[in-house]
Amino acid sequence: KKIYYYRVNLRKCFYATDHQKFYGEVALITGGTRGIGFELAKKFATGGANCIVVGKNSERVNVAVLNLMKLEREKKNNADNNKKGEIGHDHDNRHIGIVCDLSSGIEIEKAAKAFKHFGRVDYLINAAGISHDSLLIQVKDSEIDEIISTNLVGAILVSRNVAKIMLRQNKGCIINISSVIGLYGNSGQSIYSASKAGIIGFSKSLAKELARKNIRVNVIAPGYIDTEMTSGLPSKTKDEILSKTLLNRIGDVKDVAHAAMYLATANFVTGQTLIVDGGLSIS
Ligand code: NDP
């Protein structure tokens, strides 16, 4: 029995590299169907975590969960081929999807029951977000409402539900996706900017509330990242952003995911905003 015990743990240590660092943990990712959120879900899933993917569109939620499972199977096959077996996961039940319109408080309260599906949540990533670009004098009431309720109120309500789970665990990590626009503003994006600035203030206060229970809260403020959200920007605007980006390239979802992986494991960091913009905001 003793020999077996050591064998298991040696295997765990040996393979506790990237593909085991979240073994036995649960990550809930809003906006996890595509773009930045899906890249983050992939990172957590390949790190061994069970993922809860939250999105608005049911088909995209299903596809995202299926893709995470596919990734899992491919990883398992590669591991088997390399004789690097894993420590036994039930690959078909590792990830779940929740369809929820985060602009609706009622839908979030209904979805909150499913947040407890795995009995715990170790990481919450609030990545769901929308943007409508328009000058303040032209912006419609419905647009103001949709942006603030999805980007800010949605993240607050999800955090409130998940914080209750994390408080019981005495452990947790919340990463909220803001934007450099929330820090520095941008003409035509005043409402989006307000929602993203709100996320930063909210996160700092929450970090103060939850720190004594070993729950960290941090923010990532990305610059321009190549996703569906930015695909519709005019090429002139893209060129302007590129010319101001010190690292002379457009950001990739992987750039944000790397920063998130740092914050997920940086156990002495809380209440901080990490700018991931290739130097755009200091140029
Ligand atoms: P995408 O447009 O690619 O993806 C948006 C995600 O949010 C999707 O998963 C979508 O789900 C989800 N979502 C949108 N509205 C709702 C809603 N009402 N309820 C539930 N889910 C919703 O965006 P990005 O990946 O580019 O952006 C991710 C986050 O990063 C956002 O908060 C954004 O503001 C922020 N950000 C992005 C930057 C960029 O340059 N791309 C720069 C700075 C910040 P579904 O697929 O189901 O619709």
Side-chain angles (χ1 to χ4, degrees):
K1 259 187 186 168
K2 204 170 182 185
I3 291 168
Y4 178 68
Y5 173 82
Y6 283 117
R7 265 182 58 200
V8 169
N9 279 287
L10 279 174
R11 278 180 65 193
K12 202 166 175 178
C13 294
F14 188 70
Y15 299 120
T17 51
D18 253 15
H19 66 287
Q20 285 290 294
K21 69 180 165 200
F22 302 121
Y23 178 71
E25 295 185 311
V26 177
L28 190 158
I29 304 111
T30 76
T33 59
R34 53 196 163 101
I36 292 170
F38 182 61
E39 187 62 29
L40 277 161
K42 282 199 296 186
K43 281 274 184 195
F44 279 105
T46 51
N50 294 47
C51 290
I52 303 173
V53 171
V54 183
K56 184 178 174 180
N57 180 296
S58 59
E59 204 177 315
R60 281 200 286 261
V61 170
N62 281 339
V63 170
V65 172
L66 286 173
N67 281 335
L68 290 182
M69 287 172 177
K70 202 170 136 200
L71 199 76
E72 199 66 31
R73 276 192 293 273
E74 280 166 9
K75 195 186 79 181
K76 174 78 170 60
N77 289 343
N78 287 341
D80 285 349
N81 290 343
N82 297 330
K83 295 195 169 30
K84 286 183 181 175
E86 286 181 17
I87 309 163
H89 291 313
D90 177 354
H91 291 278
D92 289 336
N93 292 314
R94 280 278 309 280
H95 314 295
I96 64 159
I98 300 175
V99 181
C100 172
D101 181 350
L102 295 169
S103 69
S104 155
I106 296 167
E107 284 205 21
I108 294 174
E109 288 316 310
K110 278 187 197 155
K113 286 193 192 93
F115 295 171
K116 297 174 193 154
H117 177 86
F118 293 111
R120 59 184 300 118
V121 177
D122 298 278
Y123 304 92
L124 165 63
I125 318 294
N126 281 305
I130 51 162
S131 68
H132 289 299
D133 296 355
S134 156
L135 295 172
L136 181 65
I137 54 168
Q138 288 163 349
V139 76
K140 297 187 189 105
D141 285 3
S142 59
E143 288 170 344
I144 298 175
D145 194 44
E146 198 189 355
I147 296 171
I148 300 291
S149 59
T150 307
N151 296 4
L152 181 58
V153 183
I156 291 172
L157 296 181
V158 172
S159 299
R160 187 173 65 184
N161 278 292
V162 173
K164 288 177 192 164
I165 302 171
M166 289 178 168
L167 282 167
R168 284 199 291 273
Q169 300 163 183
N170 278 321
K171 175 182 179 283
C173 168
I174 299 175
I175 301 173
N176 292 322
I177 309 295
S178 174
S179 165
V180 286
I181 307 299
L183 287 164
Y184 302 107
N186 194 27
S187 171
Q189 290 194 296
S190 59
I191 313 304
Y192 180 76
S193 176
S195 73
K196 294 300 183 179
I199 282 289
I200 295 171
F202 167 68
S203 304
K204 284 182 183 169
S205 302
L206 197 59
K208 291 185 182 188
E209 278 184 28
L210 300 179
R212 71 197 160 81
K213 287 289 194 175
N214 191 29
I215 301 166
R216 299 180 299 109
V217 186
N218 290 291
V219 175
I220 296 177
Y224 179 97
I225 309 294
D226 188 15
T227 67
E228 270 179 54
M229 182 178 272
T230 48
S231 61
L233 284 179
S235 52
K236 194 172 157 243
T237 312
K238 286 184 188 174
D239 290 345
E240 261 172 41
I241 295 169
L242 184 59
S243 71
K244 288 182 194 157
T245 304
L246 297 182
L247 292 176
N248 199 29
R249 67 173 174 85
I250 295 301
D252 186 85
V253 288
K254 288 190 171 58
D255 297 315
V256 183
H258 283 144
M261 289 302 105
Y262 161 70
L263 289 175
T265 52
N267 291 329
F268 203 48
V269 178
T270 195
Q272 302 305 305
T273 299
L274 182 54
I275 297 176
V276 181
D277 70 348
L280 173 71
S281 54
I282 60 155
S283 70

